[in-house]
Amino acid sequence: MSEQKRIPQHVAIIMDGNGRWAELRGKERCEGHAAGVEPVRASLRAAVRHGVKFLTLYAFSTENWGRPAAEVDALMELFCQCVVNEAPELIRQGVRVCMIGERSRFSEKVQKALSEIERQTASGETLTLILALNYSSRSEITRAVQRIAHRVATGELAPEQICEETLSQALDTAPWPDPDLIVRTSGEQRLSNFLLWQASYAELWFPEVLWPDFTEKEFDRAIEEYARRDRRFGLVKGK
Ligand code: IPE
Ligand code: IPE
Ligand code: MG
């Protein structure tokens, strides 16, 4: 985090409220998801403008597979369309796209589209966009523990050598710093299985706005809100 300007280095967003946005307008829930694409573009523009280095977006949870098949299918189609359509603009902005979550559950088509956008944007240095897809924190932590257990079983690691860093490094998010600010739209005040380990000292903000109505201005508000927070990390100020 850059202390001087009080700009969060890493912002994570739980993009919630697409369904309610659509229902309020008498539309299908899927139309709410489609309307959620422009706010992604707006957030990216604003993040780049503020000098945010990492933007994580919670786009699909492991629990979201339990939604009606038509909604899941529409979301998968939307992911594929987006990564293809947005590629030129992402490259232009210097955005590098990465993914967290278990991609093996996605269809081959979706997996291909994701690998392709990661490959195309691999040299982006302005901002890293981390898409949480088929992601849940408990699943991520469970997979991390399995990796560590494997290292112990093969004798590469002794149990007493396991420290917080060992777990951090075994998570999908290993390459990046923890989020400084987590925003959840739509007024819901919960994390819904998102970055539970990484959120230990994150500032949380829960604006009422539904995700399809989220604009660059809303992102600016999040940055302003963050600048007002007093992060103490368990210490006493000025001592
Ligand atoms: C978030 O919006 C998008 C996904 C979970 C994929 P929702 O679809 O959860 O919208 P609400 O919460 O039903 O309004
Ligand atoms: C969290 O939203 C997941 C995403 C935004 C992708 P949900 O709408 O699925 O979460 P709950 O059901 O309200 O907790
Ligand atoms: Mg929701």
Side-chain angles (χ1 to χ4, degrees):
M1 192 197 84
S2 126
E3 278 302 335
Q4 260 179 347
K5 280 168 73 193
R6 305 271 302 146
I7 296 291
Q9 186 183 22
H10 184 173
V11 177
I13 307 181
I14 302 172
M15 308 183 289
D16 199 18
N18 296 353
R20 276 163 284 171
W21 183 92
E23 280 155 22
L24 278 168
R25 286 161 179 75
K27 298 182 177 194
E28 294 293 320
R29 291 179 57 85
C30 298
E31 296 184 62
H33 297 312
V37 176
E38 185 50 38
V40 171
R41 297 191 191 108
S43 300
L44 261 171
R45 284 194 301 270
V48 167
R49 174 162 51 76
H50 284 285
V52 169
K53 297 306 286 181
F54 306 93
L55 178 66
T56 297
L57 299 178
Y58 200 7
F60 193 81
S61 75
T62 55
E63 288 81 10
N64 289 151
W65 291 109
R67 293 187 178 198
E71 183 174 347
V72 172
D73 291 348
L75 279 165
M76 295 302 137
E77 193 48 44
L78 194 60
F79 296 150
C80 287
Q81 269 177 25
C82 279
V83 293
V84 173
N85 295 345
E86 304 301 316
E89 181 59 14
L90 293 169
I91 293 165
R92 195 193 64 76
Q93 289 184 294
V95 172
R96 175 177 191 175
V97 180
C98 298
M99 211 203 116
I100 55 172
E102 246 191 314
R103 66 175 81 198
S104 57
R105 187 161 172 191
F106 290 117
S107 71
E108 211 151 284
K109 183 182 167 192
V110 175
Q111 290 191 45
K112 257 199 177 147
L114 294 171
S115 302
E116 185 57 17
I117 192 76
E118 283 178 327
R119 191 191 61 76
Q120 286 178 303
T121 62
S123 60
E125 286 183 351
T126 307
L127 175 146
T128 301
L129 173 65
I130 302 152
L131 299 175
L133 287 167
N134 189 26
Y135 175 87
S136 87
S137 200
R138 287 185 174 191
S139 140
E140 179 193 32
I141 291 170
T142 305
R143 286 184 284 109
V145 170
Q146 285 172 355
R147 281 187 206 122
I148 295 168
H150 188 72
R151 291 177 61 198
V152 171
T154 58
E156 180 198 325
L157 188 71
E160 52 280 5
Q161 285 178 305
I162 296 171
C163 60
E164 290 187 7
E165 194 54 22
T166 317
L167 189 62
S168 288
Q169 286 305 313
L171 294 170
D172 296 351
T173 52
W176 310 297
D178 287 343
D180 300 295
L181 172 67
I182 296 181
V183 176
R184 180 177 188 144
T185 57
S186 87
E188 304 295 352
Q189 302 194 8
R190 57 177 171 266
L191 291 175
S192 301
N193 221 343
F194 185 52
L195 302 179
L196 302 181
W197 171 276
Q198 299 87 338
S200 297
Y201 269 103
E203 297 298 325
L204 308 178
W205 190 49
F206 302 103
E208 293 292 325
V209 60
L210 301 173
W211 179 249
D213 292 328
F214 196 84
T215 57
E216 276 195 59
K217 266 219 165 76
E218 295 288 337
F219 195 97
D220 294 347
R221 279 184 61 208
I223 299 291
E224 281 161 27
E225 176 66 31
Y226 177 80
R228 280 195 289 274
R229 302 288 177 93
D230 183 17
R231 302 186 83 189
R232 290 189 289 276
F233 300 98
L235 307 179
V236 178
K237 224 181 161 185
K239 301 281 171 190

